[in-house]
Amino acid sequence: EKLQLKHGSHRVGKRTDAVMAKWRGYGLGQFIHWGLYAIPGGEWNGKQYNGAAEWIRSWNGIPKSTYDSLIYKFNPVNFNAEEWAATAKQMGAKYVTITTKHHDGFCLWPSKYTNYTVANSPWKKDIMKPLIDAYDKQGIDVILYFSVMDWNHPGWRYDIKTKEDSIAFEGFKQFTRNQLLELLTLYPTAKGLWFDGTWDKSWVKQAAFADELETEMRKLRPGLIIGSRFRADENGKRHFDSNGVLMGDYEQGWERKIPNKIEDVHGNDWDCVMTVPENQWGYNKAWKGHIKTTNELLEMTAKCVSLGGNFVLNFGPQGDGAIRKEEKQLAAQIGDWMKTNNEAIYNCEYAGLEKQDWGYFTKKTGSDKLYMIVFNVPVSGALKVKLPANTSIGKSYLLAQPAQLLNTEEISGTEYFIHLKNTAAGKPFVVVLEPNAKKGSGNTYD
Ligand SMILES: C[C@@H]1N[C@@H](c2cn(-c3ccccc3)nn2)[C@H](O)[C@@H]1O
């Protein structure tokens, strides 16, 4: 039976308001990881750092104070907010999640609660404001990434063991609250918060404080979208409270991984954040290992939308503020595909149909229109579809050639083949399936 929780989830099931409905329909997003770590770019004194580039400060090879002095090198002469926003627009991203402060504590906005910000760098100017304005102008909604863990702040603790720890951490908690309220006040058009760095015991022990802070933020910014990684319940449970109910408005756990079946998402909203290399979020000069191809990234996008989530692709701009050419190429190629096929991605949801080998189903929200995003064309050229008993295929056609109806064939009461005319597409394509209610089935789709 249900445990009585004071600081567990305050809502069961998806949010039903318009702001969250818009978020649910984004389909594709861009993540931006940018900060001091982009300056070394995974390399120090000519030696490669084997971990994630944005974690280079934790590398034994570099004294922490030496890394921290990178603030005096932050002068991104090629930073161009409009260019970043235009790249996201070209890709077809509907939202962007931007690092305001990563684990190293360097703030991309002139926070008045610490000196470790752009204001005290050669650059001097706010980075967040021009970025948010540029994305707003492109009609791309902004979500703010915020790392609670802050290696630069003297009050940060991994755990609270002594009286001294607890006094220091009280100061840190106020600092965190001040910065979050500051961000929401300075950037009122930001739609939500994507939290990171909340796994240490010190923060997990702050169930009441974090719960009250979440409530305060929602009051300050009605409609604010807050991820599941912000807080733990009074039993230390994170993302899902002690009753297994999601905390926050969407599940944030899908980091560099994608759910395999609808049961994995427990009826919640969620987004998947993904790196282009195996595990590099900040700029890394040497993109080692497997670099995902455009087709892989399109398939990840289709898979996420087919399971009711959004796919957020990470960009790690260089220390000078320019976006690397490989990422620009990916944005252009993804955008090219989205130009023709975005109807199957935007404002679409889980179709509730059995997954088939050829690819992924999505369904237009508020309609019965189905999309089949095909990655694996069967040698037979026949796409198998299994529909609910009271449904048949009204008509079917390639999204790119709506006038050319495809031949459909009933195999049994619920299974059909859709016969492709051309089986040598060479790149993913979309087949539209407009269902029909079967005679006497009682449902009306008109
Ligand atoms: C969104 C991503 N989350 C950050 C991260 C991931 N991790 C991490 C820490 C321990 C185990 C697995 C992953 N720590 N920080 C990465 O640096 C990036 O910001």
Side-chain angles (χ1 to χ4, degrees), residues 207-219:
F209 173 79
D211 190 12
E212 281 146 33
L213 178 51
E214 183 173 313
T215 302
E216 184 178 17
M217 289 193 284
R218 291 183 189 281
K219 223 162 40 221

Side-chain angles (χ1 to χ4, degrees), residues 245-260:
V245 181
L246 185 76
M247 293 194 279
D249 304 316
Y250 65 100
E251 191 189 349
Q252 275 193 258
W254 301 102
E255 187 174 309
R256 293 192 304 116
K257 55 181 190 274
I258 298 178
N260 252 317

Side-chain angles (χ1 to χ4, degrees), residues 31 33 54-55 102-103 145 194 196 199 229 255 273 281:
F31 213 140
H33 271 78
E54 72 284 356
W55 272 70
H102 202 259
H103 310 331
Y145 166 109
W194 199 95
D196 209 355
W199 50 77
R229 192 184 268 147
E255 187 174 309
V273 291
W281 298 88

Side-chain angles (χ1 to χ4, degrees), residues 389-433:
N390 54 7
T391 313
S392 65
I393 297 180
K395 64 178 181 175
S396 179
Y397 48 90
L398 291 177
L399 180 59
Q401 292 162 311
Q404 273 204 37
L405 297 188
L406 299 176
N407 297 330
T408 61
E409 173 197 358
E410 183 169 332
I411 308 168
S412 71
T414 57
E415 286 194 334
Y416 299 81
F417 274 136
I418 295 176
H419 292 283
L420 296 171
K421 292 185 170 60
N422 162 11
T423 59
K427 58 186 215 176
F429 58 89
V430 176
V431 169
V432 183
L433 196 171

Side-chain angles (χ1 to χ4, degrees), residues 131-277:
L131 273 177
I132 293 169
D133 289 349
Y135 279 97
D136 281 351
K137 217 159 75 184
Q138 292 284 6
I140 298 173
D141 285 346
V142 175
I143 300 282
L144 303 177
Y145 166 109
F146 183 88
S147 174
V148 169
M149 176 171 75
D150 177 331
W151 294 325
N152 183 270
H153 192 281
W156 173 258
R157 294 290 183 281
Y158 290 99
D159 193 0
I160 297 168
K161 296 241 188 279
T162 66
K163 186 85 184 105
E164 191 277 337
D165 285 341
S166 122
I167 292 167
F169 205 67
E170 279 313 305
F172 180 77
K173 286 157 59 178
Q174 285 316 313
F175 163 73
T176 300
R177 173 177 172 272
N178 288 335
Q179 284 207 315
L180 285 170
L181 299 180
E182 180 180 47
L183 283 168
L184 295 179
T185 305
L186 287 173
Y187 313 113
T189 62
K191 299 293 175 297
L193 296 163
W194 199 95
F195 284 98
D196 209 355
T198 57
W199 50 77
D200 289 314
K201 289 200 185 85
S202 53
W203 183 259
V204 168
K205 288 173 177 170
Q206 309 306 325
F209 173 79
D211 190 12
E212 281 146 33
L213 178 51
E214 183 173 313
T215 302
E216 184 178 17
M217 289 193 284
R218 291 183 189 281
K219 223 162 40 221
L220 173 63
R221 181 77 51 236
L224 189 68
I225 296 172
I226 295 178
S228 64
R229 192 184 268 147
F230 179 50
R231 61 190 181 88
D233 76 4
E234 56 261 48
N235 302 318
K237 290 282 183 199
R238 300 179 62 228
H239 293 282
F240 294 88
D241 70 16
S242 307
N243 291 317
V245 181
L246 185 76
M247 293 194 279
D249 304 316
Y250 65 100
E251 191 189 349
Q252 275 193 258
W254 301 102
E255 187 174 309
R256 293 192 304 116
K257 55 181 190 274
I258 298 178
N260 252 317
K261 54 193 187 309
I262 197 63
E263 293 74 16
D264 296 344
V265 302
H266 312 291
N268 296 308
D269 281 314
W270 58 279
D271 67 4
C272 159
V273 291
M274 188 60 72
T275 48
V276 176

Side-chain angles (χ1 to χ4, degrees), residues 6 21 47 94 116 135 171 197 203 209 240 260 299 383:
K6 283 176 61 191
K47 264 185 69 188
K94 288 290 185 187
Y116 204 51
Y135 279 97
W203 183 259
F209 173 79
F240 294 88
N260 252 317
E299 180 154 4
L383 303 178

